[in-house]
Amino acid sequence: MRDETKVVHAGRHPEEFEGAVNPPVYHVSTVLSPDLADWEQKKKDYAADRPGMYYGRHGTPTLNALQEAIATLEGGYRTLLFPSGLAACAGAILTCAKAGDHILISDSAYGPTRRVGTRFLKRFGITAEFYDPLIGGGIQALLRPNTSVIVVEAPGSLTFEMQDIPAIAEAAHRRGAMVVMDNTWATPLYFKPFEHGVDLSVQAATKYIVGHSDAMVGAVTATKEAWPKLRETHIDLGQTAGPDDVYLAQRGLRTMATRLRQHWESALALAEWVSRQPEVERVLYPALGTDPGHAVWKRDFLGASGLFGVVLKSVSHDAFAALIDGLELYGIGASWGGFESLVMPFDPREVRGATRWPDTGPCFRIHAGLESLDDLLADMDAGFKRLRAVT
Ligand SMILES: *Cc1c(COP(=O)(O)O)cnc(C)c1O
């Protein structure tokens, strides 16, 4: 079965719900047992990690449907849901790290994930070190006897560097370290983490899986080896996700393959157009032939999503504001992966530890939504004309 088909069918069991196409939304904490024997059996099944509904926090058919679908698409053993993408990132790292450990985080990792390493884990005697996202197999030199986790993300948040995941995974595994990947940008459709050596793969389902900017869900998928520890951590931290949000995520997933093709097509056309504007220093999008990460992207990835970065040459803040402020179709806001186009200004120099950001011009991120590409191009063209008028 191809992914486009899996996206539609994985995790759905209409035969279990009187034929309903989508799984019902179970709002449940208490699950009643008819007698003592049933109660004891449920407890045993739960302890042994067998299927069944024992308590709301420990899984329901609504949660199981999405977990099964994501595990199938990621190509991992099993998946657990978290209340947000960041909770999933933290949960995946906490699965692998213990007091006294050293962990390595890509310098291009999602900002709040960086902070989990430098602030939260520090309280538990764990040392986080940032590394150059382009380090590849050279990561070997940074591995210490107590390095337990390498956090990778490709392309990186905001700056879109491609990482050589197989080379990093090989070095990690030689030394008994685990690889945690944030696979949100590519989604499980455009990168297969477990074919490239990843041990735990994170999805901020909030983005493309939900796809409509109206719910927050995170997911961690594990290899069979990493699964028991992930499950234990998830249980101990009391993690779960709200049934309505999970329902929206599984509903969004069904159209994700179709949506992503359009996000990719529009982002590529926009990125090419933007890169030709004289005020643009460079465009950060590995699907562009001119991007330094293009070769790695082509080797390991199956597609590109709709999110990319733009670095402007040194223009005044007023000129930058003239570009951004008059945009009619691109909302100014955080997050991405919904049907709508967005822009978000950012300064990479605020989130660097191991590497130096070379450019001084203002940067912004574009999420190409599902509007007409012609309209998106015209709106961006008007923005650059306003910038030019101020310069
Ligand atoms: C948004 C995002 C997250 C966090 O997801 P939330 O659901 O907003 O907590 C994690 N990683 C990446 C790459 C993201 O873009």
Side-chain angles (χ1 to χ4, degrees):
M1 240 192 252
R2 291 181 188 275
D3 273 355
E4 288 82 353
T5 309
K6 287 184 191 163
V7 153
V8 172
H9 289 282
R12 281 179 44 223
H13 299 284
E15 70 286 358
E16 291 173 18
F17 308 114
E18 305 195 49
V21 168
N22 288 306
V25 183
Y26 278 73
H27 281 275
V28 57
S29 55
T30 301
V31 178
L32 297 174
S33 281
D35 53 29
L36 179 64
D38 181 84
W39 173 252
E40 287 172 346
Q41 188 59 43
K42 279 200 173 85
K43 272 188 84 163
K44 269 190 220 151
D45 286 344
Y46 173 64
D49 192 13
R50 285 191 290 264
M53 194 161 79
Y54 164 60
Y55 181 53
R57 189 184 344 109
H58 301 324
T60 66
T62 311
L63 273 67
N64 293 346
L66 181 61
Q67 288 173 171
E68 188 186 323
I70 293 177
T72 303
L73 290 164
E74 292 258 33
Y77 175 62
R78 283 173 71 183
T79 299
L80 283 169
L81 299 179
F82 290 76
S84 71
L86 179 58
C89 291
I93 297 171
L94 284 164
T95 294
C96 313
K98 62 180 189 313
D101 281 353
H102 167 250
I103 71 172
L104 288 162
I105 302 178
S106 169
D107 216 13
S108 61
Y110 181 60
T113 301
R114 296 169 62 95
R115 213 163 46 216
V116 171
T118 53
R119 192 166 70 186
F120 181 77
L121 293 179
K122 194 170 165 216
R123 285 167 40 200
F124 303 95
I126 295 164
T127 310
E129 181 185 350
F130 296 111
Y131 67 90
D132 181 344
L134 303 178
I135 199 165
I139 193 113
Q140 196 171 345
L142 299 182
L143 286 163
R144 302 180 192 169
N146 61 340
T147 306
S148 54
V149 192
I150 303 179
V151 177
V152 299
E153 188 180 326
S157 273
L158 302 178
T159 46
F160 298 90
E161 295 92 337
M162 286 303 300
Q163 294 201 263
D164 190 340
I165 310 287
I168 291 172
E170 201 200 315
H173 293 158
R174 248 196 326 258
R175 301 282 291 272
M178 307 269 266
V179 178
V180 168
M181 175 164 191
D182 188 326
N183 193 30
T184 302
W185 183 87
T187 83
L189 296 187
Y190 291 163
F191 184 73
K192 297 295 177 190
F194 300 99
E195 290 174 14
H196 295 88
V198 170
D199 298 289
L200 291 155
S201 176
V202 176
Q203 282 295 325
T206 305
K207 310 291 165 59
Y208 283 118
I209 294 178
V210 167
H212 295 73
S213 308
D214 54 1
M216 308 198 76
V217 179
V220 181
T221 305
T223 57
K224 193 163 189 211
E225 295 68 40
W227 168 257
K229 208 75 188 163
L230 171 65
R231 180 169 186 262
E232 183 187 295
T233 307
H234 188 263
I235 290 169
D236 289 348
L237 294 175
Q239 294 289 20
T240 181
D244 291 320
D245 285 353
V246 172
Y247 179 85
L248 288 172
Q250 74 79 30
R251 187 163 106 145
L253 179 71
R254 305 304 169 197
T255 57
M256 187 171 74
T258 310
R259 286 185 284 111
L260 274 178
R261 269 200 303 273
Q262 187 60 50
H263 286 297
W264 178 9
E265 187 184 317
S266 292
L268 187 59
L270 264 170
E272 279 167 352
W273 183 89
V274 169
S275 67
R276 288 195 299 271
Q277 304 313 301
E279 298 82 5
V280 170
E281 182 69 39
R282 52 200 180 106
V283 170
L284 316 169
Y285 190 49
L288 277 181
T290 49
D291 190 275
H294 186 68
V296 172
W297 173 77
K298 242 181 130 165
R299 186 191 69 188
D300 294 345
F301 283 55
L302 305 166
S305 62
L307 192 75
F308 64 96
V310 180
V311 183
L312 293 174
K313 290 181 177 153
S314 287
V315 298
S316 71
H317 192 260
D318 284 350
F320 184 45
L323 192 174
I324 298 292
D325 283 346
L327 293 170
E328 288 179 354
L329 300 178
Y330 302 81
I332 304 171
S335 204
W336 45 280
F339 51 81
E340 80 286 19
S341 291
L342 296 169
V343 290
M344 190 188 81
F346 69 91
D347 183 350
R349 289 167 299 185
E350 288 170 0
V351 281
R352 291 277 124 171
T355 51
R356 219 190 110 258
W357 184 253
D359 306 295
T360 52
C363 305
F364 64 106
R365 189 178 73 182
I366 295 180
H367 179 247
L370 302 178
E371 301 91 339
S372 146
L373 174 60
D374 289 342
D375 291 341
L376 291 178
L377 284 166
D379 198 20
M380 195 50 69
D381 184 40
F384 273 90
K385 288 197 170 105
R386 285 191 301 275
L387 179 151
R388 238 156 259 154
V390 173
T391 315

